[in-house]
Amino acid sequence: MGGREESSGPEPSRSAKLSAATFYALSSIMIMAANKVTLTTYRFPSSSTVAFAQLVVTLVLLRIAKAGGAVQFPDFSISVVRKVFPLPLIYLGNVVTGLSGTKALSLPMFTVLRRFSILFTLIAESFLLRNKHSIAIRASVGIMLLGALIAAADDLAFDAMGYIWVLSSDLFTAMNGVYIKQKLDAKDLGSSGLMFYNCLCSLPVVLVVMHLDGSVEKVTNFDMLFEPTFQFFFFLSSVMGCILTYSVYLCTQVNSALTTAVVGCLKNVLISYGGMFIGGDYIFSLWNFAGLNISVLGSVYYSYLQIVKKSGKSSTSLPTTRAVSRTNTVNSPTEHDGDNKP
């Protein structure tokens, strides 16, 4: 069933924007905790296998939803595949580097380094979407990065490869957010179609990665493979991958790529502190803890500027692009008021 293109409607309401942002935040917290327990607590040896499971579950759920009439997106064709590129490569890079960084670093350091994605997003939006950002927004981003640098300077559990994974994930996150915005605004796929073909095109690549890194042998030799508790967290990680992917598209569609990136960092306020007790790999130091707090304050300051004080096109907020392809999206939390659907 092909999707049909519609003209863009009125700008989503504030409640729709907050609902989309909250949905994304909760989804991100749940999957990060599930991934951390799976990869660190249980020491599951293959992050690419986790990525593969998330892709497969997303494809299956979307096919079921389309068969049941819950979503609409175009049938497979070469022209549709061309429309989504280069998103599949960016998306896969984001997933693999993010999972690898989660495994290598403690959650507090992982989350604080993830704030560099905001800087990369700000730069990418300036060049690709021609968005301009106020001094106040730049200052809030600067506070976050200052805190991240202070925390990193006294990281007693420093892991160079972990830092590389996370910073690479930040770059992919910025590119992913901006390109999603371009695709959602310019094409008739809708968020569900974009999700489906993004995952479908990523699947062959992740299979090659699994072959190259010996994932099949690692998984078959994993001692806790049939442990019920491990299987629960692995299943949760796989399912939440689909939900998180949709929540990212939804939040980007009704808000902006930069708002999605900052909401992602704002929810890390909880993870920055709660993560000290998850995984058992955080080592406390005074300067590191101070840096975490400074970075958190920067996130709160930006959110105050961008969401709480947002009213129309103010000088302290980014312009928000209207949502498109409204008939092609999954039923979402923004539909509770029946007015503005993504």
Side-chain angles (χ1 to χ4, degrees), residues 269-290:
V269 172
L270 296 176
I271 297 178
S272 294
Y273 300 120
M276 296 177 184
F277 307 98
I278 300 176
D281 51 357
Y282 175 71
I283 302 176
F284 176 85
S285 75
L286 183 60
W287 280 105
N288 180 270
F289 185 70

Side-chain angles (χ1 to χ4, degrees), residues 96-327:
V96 173
T97 55
L99 288 171
S100 299
T102 301
K103 184 176 182 179
L105 299 180
S106 67
L107 280 182
M109 280 311 303
F110 176 84
T111 55
V112 79
L113 289 175
R114 287 288 292 158
R115 290 181 173 92
F116 278 90
S117 66
I118 304 172
L119 174 63
F120 297 153
T121 300
L122 190 148
I123 295 172
E125 280 198 342
S126 297
F127 283 98
L128 297 177
L129 301 183
R130 304 300 179 186
N131 286 346
K132 295 182 179 180
H133 312 291
S134 69
I135 295 176
I137 288 177
R138 294 175 186 176
S140 66
V141 173
I143 294 172
M144 291 183 231
L145 299 185
L146 174 63
L149 292 174
I150 293 174
D154 198 29
D155 182 9
L156 300 181
F158 176 79
D159 184 324
M161 199 63 220
Y163 275 57
I164 293 174
W165 283 126
V166 177
L167 292 175
S168 298
S169 180
D170 292 342
L171 181 60
F172 282 120
T173 297
M175 295 171 64
N176 192 57
V178 172
Y179 274 106
I180 284 174
K181 194 65 178 178
Q182 283 190 332
K183 299 295 182 182
L184 287 175
D185 286 343
K187 306 297 181 182
D188 62 352
L189 292 174
S191 60
S192 56
L194 193 53
M195 274 178 64
F196 182 83
Y197 289 106
N198 207 11
C199 293
L200 183 65
C201 295
S202 299
L203 202 56
V205 182
V206 79
L207 286 172
V208 172
V209 173
M210 290 175 65
H211 173 72
L212 294 176
D213 68 9
S215 289
V216 175
E217 183 178 357
K218 291 177 182 178
V219 172
T220 54
N221 293 330
F222 180 56
D223 294 337
M224 305 188 73
L225 185 61
F226 299 103
E227 171 69 31
T229 307
F230 164 76
Q231 291 179 341
F232 168 76
F233 281 105
F234 185 87
F235 174 77
L236 183 62
S237 176
S238 302
V239 174
M240 288 306 303
C242 173
I243 297 175
L244 176 63
T245 301
Y246 173 67
S247 71
V248 171
Y249 291 141
L250 176 64
C251 188
T252 302
Q253 188 177 23
V254 302
N255 291 291
S256 72
L258 183 56
T259 297
T260 301
V262 175
V263 169
C265 284
L266 185 59
K267 52 85 184 173
N268 288 336
V269 172
L270 296 176
I271 297 178
S272 294
Y273 300 120
M276 296 177 184
F277 307 98
I278 300 176
D281 51 357
Y282 175 71
I283 302 176
F284 176 85
S285 75
L286 183 60
W287 280 105
N288 180 270
F289 185 70
L292 292 175
N293 283 280
I294 292 173
S295 192
V296 164
L297 288 175
S299 293
V300 173
Y301 177 44
Y302 175 82
S303 297
Y304 176 73
L305 293 171
Q306 183 72 3
I307 299 176
V308 178
K309 292 184 67 175
K310 189 171 184 179
S311 57
K313 294 183 178 180
S314 66
S315 61
T316 58
S317 64
L318 297 176
T320 304
T321 312
R322 291 178 178 177
V324 296
S325 303
R326 297 175 182 271
T327 62

